[in-house]
């Protein structure tokens, strides 16, 4: 069976018996047309299922598209899915549509995606920066009025708005919670590479809590990984130390999944305390329930959208960093004492 061809502007013009220019004038409302011609064109558009190419039109007239471009590291991470949902909630009533792409934490791929969005003339560009990415190439776009907002991590090489969680204070609260239960050797399982912004901020919060408790920093208790399997291996290594930790702090949701699984497999879930940064689906039905420092990814998205929309509306004030607070949610795993 032959593939069905999408109807074109020329098809509509042929159906009505007018020129393509007349059809364009009716659809874009940019010139005179009789009520009868307008009615016939709109009827043909509905019958043929014609969809105007908004991207082509916007490029032709030099205006922005009605889209927001968002680059995230991993489309499969529920955290970024919730961030995207928050953005959509805020932009929908403005008639904007969200487009997403994944950089896979690769700076080159991130650049390709941003270039694609820029070629499309998006109304707003939002980016969760990859490690080692340089965003200096966006300076001219921002100077020309394009709202550029970085999410979760600051950008590099450009002064632009940024929306982040309070990583340091949240981690400090989570580790202090474990210290309050009598733990003095607390393992920290962070993301990699070590220079990743969220890793650095959360490790700083961990160290802050130790300093406040007048405890030494032991680098043997600090490990890094980027996936569930690596997190499980990190738990095994930490618990095999001559002086193993009695509690663990998992510094993101993926690490937490690996830690929870390993403690359950080895029967240690009820004697090694665990606090995670980031909440997880079904965290409350685990045994014990998982204690977390919960971010508010939906609010991160909404705050980023509010910032971008204000720029679209003419806000030319200095760039700003919006910090969204976290919340300690105690469910059992972080309340296990020594």
């Amino acid at each position: 069976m032959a593939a069905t061809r999408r109807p074109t502007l020329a098809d509509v013009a042929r159906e009505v018996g007018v020129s393509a220019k007349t059809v364009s004038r009716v659809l874009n409302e940019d010139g005179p047309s009789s009520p009868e011609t307008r009615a016939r064109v709109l009827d043909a558009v509905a019958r043929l299922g014609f969809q105007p190419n908004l991207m082509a039109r916007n490029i032709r007239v030099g205006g922005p598209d009605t889209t927001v471009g968002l680059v995230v590291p991993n489309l499969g991470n529920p955290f970024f899915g919730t961030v995207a949902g928050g953005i959509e909630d805020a932009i929908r009533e403005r008639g904007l549509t969200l487009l997403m792409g994944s950089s896979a934490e690769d700076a080159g791929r991130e650049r390709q995606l941003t270039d694609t969005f820029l070629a499309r003339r998006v109304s707003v560009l939002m980016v969760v920066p990859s490690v080692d990415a340089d965003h200096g190439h966006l300076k001219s776009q921002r100077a020309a009025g394009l709202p550029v907002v970085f999410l979760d991590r600051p950008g590099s090489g450009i002064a632009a708005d940024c929306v982040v969680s309070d990583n340091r204070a949240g981690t400090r609260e989570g580790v202090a919670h474990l210290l309050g239960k009598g733990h003095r050797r607390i393992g920290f399982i962070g993301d990699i590479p070590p220079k990743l912004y969220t890793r650095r901020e959360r490790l700083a919060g961990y160290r802050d809590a130790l300093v406040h408790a007048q405890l030494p920093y032991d680098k043997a208790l600090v490990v890094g990984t980027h996936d569930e399997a690596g997190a499980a291996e990190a738990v095994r290594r930490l618990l095999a130390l001559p002086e193993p930790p009695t509690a663990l702090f998992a510094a993101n949701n993926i690490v937490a999944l690996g830690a929870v699984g390993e403690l359950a497999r080895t029967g240690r879930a009820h004697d090694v305390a665990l606090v995670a940064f980031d909440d997880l689906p079904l965290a409350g039905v685990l045994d014990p329930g998982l204690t977390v420092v919960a971010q508010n990814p939906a609010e991160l998205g909404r705050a980023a959208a509010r910032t971008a929309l204000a720029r679209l509306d003419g806000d030319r004030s200095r760039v700003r960093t919006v910090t969204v607070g976290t919340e300690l949610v105690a469910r059992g795993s972080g309340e296990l004492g020594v």
Side-chain angles (χ1 to χ4, degrees):
M1 179 182 295
T4 302
R5 183 174 64 84
R6 296 176 65 184
T8 67
L9 193 75
D11 293 329
V12 176
R14 191 178 305 111
E15 181 78 8
V16 180
V18 297
S19 69
K21 186 174 182 179
T22 296
V23 174
S24 177
R25 195 160 50 232
V26 169
L27 295 179
N28 296 321
E29 299 182 349
D30 60 0
S33 59
S34 70
E36 180 187 1
T37 298
R38 175 178 172 78
R40 290 168 56 210
V41 167
L42 294 179
D43 178 66
V45 165
R47 281 188 287 103
L48 295 176
F50 172 71
Q51 290 290 329
N53 187 335
L54 294 180
M55 179 181 173
R57 177 188 180 276
N58 290 329
I59 291 175
R60 185 173 65 253
V61 301
D65 195 4
T66 55
T67 54
V68 172
L70 171 64
V71 181
V72 299
N74 180 359
L75 290 173
N77 189 327
F79 174 82
F80 294 115
T82 306
V83 168
I87 295 170
E88 282 196 314
D89 287 344
I91 67 173
R92 187 178 298 114
E93 62 186 38
R94 293 288 291 266
L96 297 172
T97 302
L98 183 65
L99 302 178
M100 291 179 66
S102 171
S103 68
E105 293 283 12
D106 179 84
R109 185 167 172 178
E110 179 193 309
R111 175 65 184 268
Q112 291 175 345
L113 279 169
T114 57
D115 285 348
T116 297
F117 287 145
L118 293 175
R120 188 185 175 98
R121 301 184 68 85
V122 292
S123 295
V124 173
L125 181 64
M126 297 185 182
V127 181
V128 179
S130 305
V131 177
D132 294 329
D134 186 333
H135 304 96
H137 66 287
L138 297 175
K139 286 181 179 179
S140 61
Q141 297 287 336
R142 185 179 177 278
L146 175 70
V148 176
V149 181
F150 293 107
L151 272 162
D152 192 49
R153 314 161 187 172
S156 176
I158 183 176
D161 297 321
C162 183
V163 180
V164 296
S165 291
D166 200 344
N167 295 282
R168 187 166 183 166
T171 301
R172 183 168 59 241
E173 182 180 17
V175 175
H177 185 71
L178 292 168
L179 291 166
K181 302 302 176 183
H183 299 281
R184 292 299 178 265
R185 287 185 63 77
I186 301 171
F188 177 93
I189 310 174
D191 205 346
I192 54 176
K195 61 184 175 180
L196 183 68
Y197 169 80
T198 48
R199 153 74 180 238
R200 288 189 286 108
E201 287 293 295
R202 293 170 195 175
L203 182 60
Y206 169 81
R207 299 189 73 156
D208 287 347
L210 295 180
V211 168
H212 188 264
Q214 299 183 326
L215 291 173
Y217 172 76
D218 184 349
K219 64 180 182 181
L221 294 176
V222 176
V223 294
T225 184
H226 195 56
D227 55 33
E228 288 184 50
E233 173 58 27
V235 170
R236 289 192 290 272
R237 293 203 317 270
L238 287 170
L239 296 185
L241 290 172
E243 293 183 73
T246 59
L248 300 172
F249 186 87
N252 67 33
N253 56 354
I254 303 301
V255 167
L257 286 170
V260 166
E262 182 61 21
L263 292 176
R265 280 190 295 273
T266 56
R268 305 294 304 276
H270 287 273
D271 59 73
V272 177
L274 175 64
V275 172
F277 198 102
D278 275 350
D279 210 349
L280 294 174
L282 303 179
V285 302
L286 298 172
D287 183 22
L290 180 63
T291 295
V292 301
V293 176
Q295 297 190 81
N296 191 339
E299 178 57 24
L300 282 172
R302 288 191 293 265
R306 287 194 298 268
T307 300
L309 292 175
R311 297 299 189 192
L312 279 177
D313 291 338
D315 182 355
R316 296 294 179 264
S317 60
R318 297 181 64 179
V319 299
R320 66 192 68 128
T321 295
V322 178
T323 302
V324 178
T326 60
E327 178 187 6
L328 180 70
V329 181
R331 296 190 179 109
S333 68
E335 289 63 62
L336 300 174
V338 178

